[in-house]
Amino acid sequence: MPLIALATLGGTISMAPADAGGGAVPRLGAADLLGGLGDLPMDVLAETLAGIGSASMDFATLMRCRDWGLRQDADGFVVVQGTDTLEETAYFLDLGWPSEIPVVVTGAMRNSGLFSPDGPANLRNALTVAADPRSRGRGVLVTLNDDVHAARWVRKAHSSHLDAFSSAPAGPLGMVVENAVHYFHPSPPRPPVLTGGDFGGLVPVVEAGLDDSGAVLSSVAAQPEVRGVVIAATGAGHVSSGTADVIARLVPSLPVVVASRTGAGPTLRSTYGFHGSESSLIAMGATMAGWLDARKARILLHTLLAAGAARDDIEREFRARGDLD
Ligand code: GLU
C-alpha cells in the first residue's frame, strides 16, 4: 500500500464550535480528521503541525511543513489548512518543492459543527490524489469539491460556497470521481525550484482604484521594512497618473511588480501608451506579473527577494513563471 504523509495546520476543516452557540475554532488534530475516514487503501503517517486560522499562516510555518513532508519519504504528501490563504500556501509550496512526490493541499468550507461538512470528502480526495502515481511530477495540487487544481492557477473565488475554488481562465487539471483521480491535462514542465532564504522584511500589495493619487503607495513604500511592492492594478496593468509618478520615483531603488486586480487574464505589454498604462510602467522599469494575480505575485516576489535575486533575476523569473509556458 502507498504511504502518505499528512500534515494538518488548522483551518475550518479542523474547527468546531468552542461551546454551544459559539463560533468555530480549531479543535481537531490530524488523528481526529483521519479517524473520521474509516478504512483507507493506503498507510497514512499523520502529524498536527499547527492549529491556526489560515489568515495567520506564515512563511516559517510553511517551511517547517515542507521540511516535515520531505523527511517522511512518503509516496505522497497531503497538507490541510484553512481555505482563506490556501492558494498562497499552495503556490509557495509549489515554488520550493524539490521532489516528484505529489503534494496535495486541501481544507473545507463547512466546519464539523455544520450540516454536511465537506472536510471528510475533501481529505479523502486529497489522500486519493496524493497516492496516485499519475499525480507524480505535477508539483503542488489543490483539491476541494471534487476538483483538482494546479497551484499555479487556483484561487478562492467565493467566500462561502462549497464550490469556492476556481482556476479561471485555465480550468481545473482534473477531478476525483468514485475515489479515483482523472486528469484532463498533462502538467507543463516545472520551473526550477525556488526556496528563498531570508524572508525578513515586507512585500505589500497595494491596490489601484478610483480617485487614486498615489499617496497610499508612496506612504507604504516609505516604510523601511519594505523590500518590494506589488500593485494590484486596474484592468491589464494600469494605474492613475499620480500612481505612475510614484512608481517612476520608486523603481530605481525598489522592485515594483504590476499585476491585474481583475481576477483573471494577464497584464498586457504593448497595447496602451498613456501615462500609467502597462507600456509606460514597463518603460519606467516596473515588472509585469503576466498571468499571476497580485497574491501569487507577492509570494513570488518575496521568495525571489529572500533568495537574494537581483533586479534582472526578478524580471526574468516573472517572465518565465508569469507566462503561459
Ligand atoms: N473559511 C476559512 C477556512 O475555510 C476560515 C478559516 C481559515 O481560513 O483558516 O478554513
Side-chain angles (χ1 to χ4, degrees):
M1 289 217 285
L3 172 67
I4 306 300
L6 165 67
T8 64
L9 302 173
T12 293
I13 190 168
S14 69
M15 293 192 194
D19 45 47
V25 295
R27 291 179 61 169
L28 310 174
D32 304 310
L33 296 183
L34 201 54
L37 299 186
D39 287 341
L40 293 166
M42 62 200 72
D43 293 319
V44 183
L45 208 158
E47 185 90 6
T48 306
L49 294 184
I52 55 176
S54 73
S56 299
M57 188 54 63
D58 54 31
F59 291 129
T61 305
L62 293 179
M63 287 189 275
R64 197 158 54 83
C65 175
R66 178 181 64 210
D67 293 346
W68 182 85
L70 283 170
R71 277 202 307 277
Q72 306 318 308
D73 200 21
D75 300 298
F77 180 27
V78 172
V79 177
V80 165
Q81 76 148 63
T83 58
D84 285 356
T85 60
L86 194 146
E87 68 211 67
E88 287 138 283
T89 286
Y91 189 60
F92 176 73
L93 292 176
D94 194 44
L95 289 177
W97 187 248
S99 160
E100 292 281 296
I101 295 168
V103 181
V104 187
V105 189
T106 194
M109 295 300 293
R110 292 189 188 147
N111 72 70
S112 62
L114 298 175
F115 287 115
S116 297
D118 52 330
N122 288 340
L123 180 55
R124 178 69 171 82
N125 284 347
L127 293 166
T128 298
V129 174
D132 194 308
R134 285 169 300 180
S135 302
R136 285 182 69 85
R138 289 179 179 269
V140 176
L141 304 165
V142 167
T143 183
L144 281 106
N145 202 39
D146 293 342
D147 286 326
V148 181
H149 301 270
R152 164 78 175 70
W153 289 106
V154 71
R155 71 196 318 252
K156 189 173 184 179
H158 198 284
S159 60
S160 62
H161 274 169
L162 291 187
D163 188 16
F165 282 79
S166 159
S167 286
L173 272 184
M175 249 190 106
V176 181
V177 182
E178 294 183 322
N179 289 324
V181 60
H182 300 257
Y183 285 109
F184 308 142
H185 313 290
S187 268
R190 303 199 61 220
V193 171
L194 192 62
T195 47
D198 170 17
F199 278 88
L202 303 173
V203 179
V205 175
V206 177
E207 182 157 317
L210 192 82
D211 195 32
D212 183 359
S213 66
V216 172
L217 174 61
S218 185
S219 131
V220 166
Q223 303 307 307
E225 303 89 352
V226 170
R227 295 172 76 179
V229 183
V230 174
I231 314 287
T234 58
H238 302 156
V239 298
S240 68
S241 139
T243 294
D245 291 341
V246 176
I247 291 175
R249 178 165 58 74
L250 294 177
V251 151
S253 56
L254 198 72
V256 176
V257 174
V258 178
S260 170
R261 67 173 196 174
T262 58
T267 48
L268 297 177
R269 299 197 70 85
S270 57
T271 301
Y272 294 93
F274 59 88
H275 186 56
S277 68
E278 78 284 359
S279 69
S280 75
L281 301 179
I282 291 168
M284 288 171 199
T287 294
M288 304 310 274
W291 291 83
L292 294 175
D293 66 17
R295 279 168 226 150
K296 289 190 173 67
R298 171 173 170 259
I299 300 294
L300 177 55
L301 180 57
H302 206 146
T303 306
L304 285 166
L305 291 166
R311 199 63 75 85
D312 287 357
D313 304 324
I314 292 171
E315 181 65 31
R316 193 192 56 244
E317 291 293 336
F318 268 91
R319 284 271 194 152
R321 294 169 194 268
D323 217 330
L324 276 183
D325 296 330

